[in-house]
Amino acid sequence: MWRRTIQPALVPVLAVFTAFLVGSVFLFITDIENLKHFPGDPLGTVLAGLANIGKAYSALVIGAFGVPSKLAAAFSSSNPKVIAGAIRPITETLVASAPLIFTGLAVAISFRSGVFNIGVEGQFIMGAMGATVAVLAFRDVPKPLLLMLAVAIGTLTGALWGFIPGFLKARTGAHEVITTIMLNYVAAQLVLYGLRSEFLKPAGSSTPISKVLSTIVRVPLIFQLPAIRLHYGIVVALIMAVLVSWFIFKTTKGFELRAAGFNLMAARYAGISAGGSIMLAMAMSGALAGLGGTLEVLGTVGQMSNDLSSGFGFNAIALALLAGNRPGGVVAAALLFGALRTGGGLMQVKTGIPLDLLFFVQALVIMFVAAPTLIRSIYRMKVHSADGVTPQ
């Protein structure tokens, strides 16, 4: 039981720990002002460097999760501003994590079927674009119905954009890496073209940005507090993680997808429709990404633009690897990356450390997760078979 539940998580956890450890070394050696004192006071320089590292990581944690004393005081306060100030770091971390959960699940479900979907970025923005068009086209519909309609159209748009490379692979053998990469560019150009149309852009504007959607309809906020942006998209993301986990591990069709991912030829001989599994997995992957884009544009941003996604689709590949293609792991990895995004701002302000260092730490996490043999050798772990499937 211990091996089945705990051990699979050890390698990614140790990979994250090792990444932060190596990041600490780089923090120390790039602190030029402190290293100037090394010849005259080596011990003091080392201690000061460690203190600076502790200060940097402390600011990172506080920026991502807030100050515990303020959180405790907020529970006993009736002042909305005090409550909002205390919980804002946590809510911003959740806001940053929600689109990563959707895109991470999208990549994970395609990986499980043996398909390398690099088109999640395009599927994400196409879902947002579909929702934007739906809101502006049906703006006179009652708001609850309009929101459901926009979410449905955005999700279906993402599903269609994911189905295209799945269909091409299943019917023509076209490699999904090539088709999904190319469709990312097509999606970006379609969005840019659409945002320059009179139907989408604000009157008299030449900037490629849509009319403000939040004045028409938006995803409801969880907390009605000043400066708090957390909406029910995070709840939907967690529900999707549960549903995806149930589908993959508890249903017949989910078993067929995993069987195709393990060995496509053996799945064919077992009577499983390999082409059907590929198309289904890619459509589901696109639907999850499209849903994420829809909730991002209707909940967090409130306006469609050509830079709506700040690399969510590409970060999702790292999330899926870190999570071992498990939905629960995707949620945990998304929260980690969301915390790095949110806490990095305060770390930069408090210590002057560039935000690029956090991207470096993320890259280290990916590198160490992608090299499990290295982690096992560093920490002298015994090798056990993994059940996460990533296409070769």
Side-chain angles (χ1 to χ4, degrees):
M1 180 64 70
W2 181 86
R3 288 181 178 178
R4 185 176 298 178
T5 56
I6 302 298
Q7 241 181 356
L10 274 180
V11 171
V13 168
L14 290 174
V16 172
F17 172 76
T18 307
F20 277 96
L21 199 62
V22 175
S24 300
V25 174
F26 277 84
L27 277 174
F28 182 82
I29 64 177
T30 55
D31 191 355
I32 304 300
E33 290 299 319
N34 182 52
L35 289 178
K36 288 179 180 179
H37 304 96
F38 186 80
D41 185 12
L43 180 60
T45 301
V46 171
L47 293 176
L50 293 175
N52 290 337
I53 292 169
K55 182 181 177 182
Y57 284 158
S58 175
L60 177 66
V61 173
I62 291 173
F65 302 107
V67 181
S69 59
K70 287 186 177 181
L71 288 170
F75 284 110
S76 58
S77 174
S78 58
N79 189 332
K81 289 186 177 180
V82 173
I83 298 173
I87 69 172
R88 180 172 167 77
I90 297 177
T91 59
E92 286 299 302
T93 295
L94 294 175
V95 168
S97 301
L100 292 171
I101 293 175
F102 283 111
T103 53
L105 291 173
V107 172
I109 201 167
S110 65
F111 278 10
R112 282 282 179 181
S113 67
V115 184
F116 205 105
N117 183 9
I118 307 183
V120 171
E121 183 80 2
Q123 294 148 22
F124 183 90
I125 62 173
M126 286 301 291
M129 188 66 172
T132 301
V133 172
V135 168
L136 295 176
F138 303 102
R139 61 190 307 163
D140 296 328
V141 173
K143 288 187 178 181
L145 181 59
L146 177 59
L147 180 59
M148 290 187 288
L149 183 64
V151 169
I153 291 176
T155 303
L156 289 173
T157 305
L160 174 62
W161 211 250
F163 176 79
I164 293 171
F167 177 82
L168 292 174
K169 181 178 177 66
R171 292 291 182 262
T172 69
H175 203 291
E176 72 276 10
V177 171
I178 303 298
T179 54
T180 51
I181 289 176
M182 292 299 102
L183 283 172
N184 282 338
Y185 290 108
V186 175
Q189 294 305 312
L190 283 175
V191 168
L192 187 60
Y193 175 78
L195 291 174
R196 288 175 173 167
S197 67
E198 295 298 328
F199 176 71
L200 291 182
K201 72 178 183 179
S205 173
S206 59
T207 306
I209 194 168
S210 76
K211 296 179 176 72
V212 178
L213 304 177
S214 56
T215 58
I216 303 172
V217 67
R218 69 168 298 166
V219 180
L221 297 172
I222 296 177
F223 302 109
Q224 299 297 327
L225 294 169
I228 298 299
R229 302 187 300 158
L230 185 64
H231 53 82
Y232 279 95
I234 185 65
V235 177
V236 177
L238 296 176
I239 292 173
M240 286 297 107
V242 173
L243 291 178
V244 168
S245 180
W246 170 79
F247 174 79
I248 291 175
F249 298 109
K250 300 296 182 181
T251 66
T252 302
K253 187 58 69 174
F255 172 78
E256 291 179 359
L257 292 185
R258 287 187 291 129
F262 276 119
N263 192 314
L264 192 59
M265 192 63 68
R268 286 197 180 102
Y269 279 115
I272 296 173
S273 173
S277 296
I278 290 172
M279 289 187 285
L280 175 63
M282 288 298 291
M284 291 182 66
S285 180
L288 286 165
L291 178 58
T294 297
L295 295 176
E296 183 73 3
V297 75
L298 297 183
T300 304
V301 181
Q303 196 172 22
M304 184 64 192
S305 65
N306 61 343
D307 58 352
L308 175 76
S309 175
S310 55
F312 293 130
F314 299 114
N315 288 333
I317 298 173
L319 286 174
L321 289 173
L322 180 59
N325 300 322
R326 286 185 167 273
V330 167
V331 173
L335 289 173
L336 170 65
F337 278 37
L340 290 176
R341 280 174 175 252
T342 307
L346 183 63
M347 188 182 81
Q348 186 175 25
V349 171
K350 292 283 188 181
T351 63
I353 295 171
L355 198 60
D356 292 339
L357 182 69
L358 287 181
F359 299 136
F360 172 69
V361 172
Q362 284 186 358
L364 288 174
V365 169
I366 298 167
M367 183 186 74
F368 285 122
V369 168
T373 304
L374 175 61
I375 293 296
R376 291 190 182 99
S377 62
I378 291 174
Y379 296 99
R380 300 183 180 276
M381 298 172 60
K382 291 182 179 180
V383 178
H384 296 283
S385 61
D387 60 351
V389 179
T390 301
Q392 297 297 321

